[in-house]
């Protein structure tokens, strides 16, 4: 037991130093240089040039978006302008262009039959004992079976706003929406560098803005977007999305290299349909919502006009990243690069120690134990002798390196 403890103590208080063994082998040398070249190429090409690891990055972009829509359309024999089809009207980053509306006028509080027949029943006592989906009803179901407006039987009576909405009517959508234009004004600020930019050049005049339309190649900095073009960029059919509604994303990406001229810090636009997973879903297809306008009769009775609106919802999203040279990330990545070059040595050691002929001899040369007794014995001999060097090996007193030739047994 004592010997084990003493062995642990002596093993703990040891010192390991690097021993340099020069192996003159074409195969191992080529592998070593190829690995080092790949590592250097990776750090220079990908890490420093592509990823710009020498820069300090600011991803906390502060952004402001203002939008305006212009255009006129025909819907149900009415000319629709911006005040009719835009919600909300404040020009926010998220807005809707209404393309189809189902209107239910003059709704009063009271009792009336539903518009949709739930079951074919004939109740002599006028009571329903069916398990119904109350959440789909336009009002509170009273449990009474009544006739519909046209006299047919099997309808549930509701209490709420009457007459009930009929959203199955066919209404032609406002197809002129494809010629509407969206003006987007976006300003961003990178607080780490105190840099502020806008999404169109400051020297652009109002006349130039009014005449331009965004195009990714011909006019990439124009802030006016034609709705039909945006839908085409996302691969959508104008008539289909106008009839059922949908959600379109406009992404403004700011990727700025502040080591270059600030004028090169410009936005890039991309477009996508955000509700694409549900575009052909029979349960929740498209995009629609309801809103009402309330009025009062002369005697003070409240009534309303209900609107079920199908709309194209636009979400203007802003992402950004700015980078500028900084000493700290540069030094960190340089140290990582120089350290990684040593992986070539590790790989070659694995090959030498496990796969090449003469691996045992290489292990004997690479790993050597020197005790105090051996040191004292070597000191008693002439200063020029070295116990660990055999005939045919070369030794340098400056580096302590041992050179093994390829034709020498390893």
């Amino acid at each position: 037991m004592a010997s084990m403890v003493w062995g642990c103590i002596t093993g703990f208080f040891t010192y390991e130093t690097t021993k340099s063994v020069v192996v003159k082998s074409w195969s191992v040398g080529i592998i070593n240089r190829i690995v080092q070249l790949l590592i250097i190429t990776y750090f220079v090409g990908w890490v420093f040039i592509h990823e710009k690891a020498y820069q300090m990055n600011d991803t906390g972009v502060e952004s402001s978006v203002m939008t305006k829509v212009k255009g006129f359309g025909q819907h149900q024999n009415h000319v629709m302008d911006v005040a009719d089809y835009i919600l909300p009207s404040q020009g926010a980053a998220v807005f809707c262009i209404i393309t189809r509306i189902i209107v239910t006028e003059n709704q009063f509080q009271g009792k009336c039959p539903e518009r949709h027949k739930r079951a074919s029943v004939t109740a002599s006592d006028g009571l329903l004992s069916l398990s119904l989906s109350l959440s789909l009803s336009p009002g509170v179901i009273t449990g009474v079976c009544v006739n519909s407006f046209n006299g047919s039987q099997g309808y549930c009576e509701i209490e709420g706003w009457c007459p009930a909405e009929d959203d199955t009517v066919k209404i032609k959508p406002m197809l002129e929406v494809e010629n509407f234009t969206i003006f987007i004004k976006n300003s961003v600020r990178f607080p780490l560098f105190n840099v502020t930019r806008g999404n169109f050049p400051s020297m652009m005049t109002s006349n130039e803005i009014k005449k331009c339309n965004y195009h990714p190649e011909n006019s990439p900095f124009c802030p006016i977007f034609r709705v039909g073009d945006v839908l085409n960029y996302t691969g959508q059919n104008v008539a289909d999305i106008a009839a059922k509604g949908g959600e379109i994303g406009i992404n403004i990406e700011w990727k700025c290299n502040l080591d270059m001229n600030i004028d090169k810090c410009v936005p890039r636009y991309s477009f996508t349909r955000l509700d694409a997973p549900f575009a052909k879903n029979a349960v929740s297809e498209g995009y629609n919502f309801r809103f009402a306008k309330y009025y009062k009769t002369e005697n003070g009775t409240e009534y309303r006009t209900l609107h079920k609106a199908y709309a194209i919802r636009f979400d203007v999203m802003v992402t950004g990243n700015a980078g500028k040279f900084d000493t700290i990330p540069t030094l960190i990545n340089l140290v990582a690069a120089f350290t990684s070059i040593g992986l070539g040595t590790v790989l070659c050691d694995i090959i030498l120690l496990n796969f090449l002929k003469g691996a045992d001899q290489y292990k004997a040369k690479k790993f050597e134990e020197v005790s105090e007794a051996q040191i004292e014995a070597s000191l008693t001999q002439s200063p020029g002798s070295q116990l660990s060097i055999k005939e045919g090996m070369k030794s340098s007193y400056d580096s302590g390196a041992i050179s093994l030739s390829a034709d020498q047994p390893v």
Side-chain angles (χ1 to χ4, degrees):
M1 181 66 181
S3 61
M4 292 179 60
V5 174
W6 178 250
C8 292
I9 294 175
T10 56
F12 180 76
F13 291 102
T14 58
Y15 170 70
E16 295 181 0
T17 185
T18 303
K19 180 180 180 180
S20 180
V21 180
V22 179
V23 181
K24 295 184 177 180
S25 170
W26 279 95
S27 58
V28 177
I30 290 174
I31 292 174
N32 181 43
R33 297 310 178 192
I34 290 177
V35 172
Q36 290 179 343
L37 180 61
L38 290 175
I39 294 173
I40 293 172
T41 303
Y42 166 76
F43 273 94
V44 173
W46 179 262
V47 176
F48 285 98
I49 296 179
H50 186 271
E51 293 296 318
K52 297 178 176 59
Y54 56 86
Q55 292 183 334
M56 179 72 74
N57 291 303
D58 184 7
T59 57
V61 59
E62 299 173 354
S63 172
S64 173
V65 175
M66 188 273 290
T67 59
K68 286 184 180 179
V69 180
K70 289 186 177 181
F72 296 93
Q74 288 276 351
H75 186 267
Q76 292 291 91
N77 297 323
H78 288 82
V79 176
M80 306 280 284
D81 62 11
V82 176
D84 297 318
Y85 58 73
I86 289 293
L87 284 176
S89 58
Q90 291 84 2
V94 179
F95 60 94
C96 298
I97 299 180
I98 298 174
T99 55
R100 188 163 73 98
I101 305 176
I102 299 176
V103 181
T104 306
E105 297 181 323
N106 300 326
Q107 284 189 320
F108 290 84
Q109 285 285 322
K111 295 180 180 180
C112 58
E114 287 185 299
R115 289 286 188 178
H116 305 297
K117 192 173 184 180
R118 293 179 175 268
S120 297
V121 295
T122 303
S124 57
D125 57 355
L127 297 178
L128 287 175
S129 59
L130 299 176
S131 176
L132 301 175
S133 177
L134 303 181
S135 61
L136 299 177
S137 174
V140 179
I141 295 179
T142 63
V144 178
C145 180
V146 295
N147 296 335
S148 69
F149 293 96
N150 58 12
S152 59
Q153 296 180 333
Y155 287 82
C156 296
E157 184 185 63
I158 62 166
E159 183 176 1
W161 289 99
C162 294
E165 177 193 53
D166 182 10
D167 58 359
T168 60
V169 295
K170 302 296 182 181
I171 302 294
K172 184 180 179 181
M174 185 172 58
L175 297 180
E176 292 85 356
V177 65
E178 67 175 339
N179 294 318
F180 293 176
T181 58
I182 305 171
F183 170 68
I184 300 177
K185 184 166 69 172
N186 171 227
S187 61
V188 295
R189 177 176 177 268
F190 297 99
L192 185 63
F193 307 114
N194 195 26
V195 172
T196 303
R197 297 292 294 164
N199 67 320
F200 55 89
S202 57
M203 70 285 296
M204 182 177 284
T205 64
S206 59
N207 289 331
E208 291 175 338
I209 292 179
K210 291 177 181 178
K211 294 178 181 178
C212 74
N213 272 322
Y214 171 82
H215 188 275
E217 296 179 359
N218 300 332
S219 186
F221 305 126
C222 178
I224 296 181
F225 301 81
R226 182 173 170 272
V227 173
D229 294 337
V230 173
L231 296 179
N232 289 332
Y233 295 146
T234 61
Q236 303 303 311
N237 179 273
V238 176
D240 186 61
I241 198 171
K244 302 175 183 177
E247 297 178 66
I248 302 296
I250 302 176
N251 184 52
I252 306 177
E253 181 186 19
W254 293 86
K255 198 170 184 179
C256 301
N257 183 1
L258 300 182
D259 294 327
M260 303 177 68
N261 193 319
I262 191 65
D263 292 334
K264 294 185 178 180
C265 179
V266 294
R268 291 184 179 180
Y269 299 93
S270 60
F271 311 90
T272 183
R273 178 159 185 176
L274 300 178
D275 64 334
F278 311 102
K280 300 186 181 299
N281 194 315
V283 178
S284 180
E285 184 179 7
Y287 177 74
N288 63 79
F289 58 92
R290 290 176 174 85
F291 64 94
K293 297 180 180 179
Y294 294 87
Y295 311 92
K296 282 188 177 181
T297 61
E298 293 181 357
N299 61 5
T301 303
E302 186 180 48
Y303 68 100
R304 73 176 188 181
T305 298
L306 178 65
H307 302 78
K308 182 177 181 180
Y310 293 83
I312 305 174
R313 168 175 163 160
F314 291 89
D315 289 20
V316 182
M317 303 166 289
V318 181
T319 58
N321 177 32
K324 193 174 185 179
F325 174 80
D326 191 80
T327 306
I328 295 177
T330 303
L331 292 176
I332 291 175
N333 286 282
L334 282 176
V335 171
F338 290 133
T339 305
S340 299
I341 292 176
L343 293 175
T345 304
V346 174
L347 178 62
C348 291
D349 280 346
I350 294 174
I351 295 173
L352 283 169
L353 294 172
N354 297 280
F355 301 106
L356 287 187
K357 185 179 180 180
D360 293 336
Q361 287 79 3
Y362 177 73
K363 291 179 183 178
K365 297 300 180 184
K366 182 173 178 62
F367 305 106
E368 182 178 3
E369 291 185 4
V370 180
S371 64
E372 292 182 356
Q374 290 175 317
I375 296 174
E376 292 175 357
S378 65
L379 291 175
T380 60
Q381 301 182 17
S382 60
S385 65
Q386 294 183 351
L387 297 179
S388 59
I389 306 300
K390 295 182 181 180
E391 185 179 358
M393 297 183 185
K394 299 177 182 178
S395 174
S396 171
Y397 289 102
D398 295 329
S399 64
I402 295 176
S403 177
L404 299 179
S405 300
D407 57 352
Q408 180 184 344
V410 183

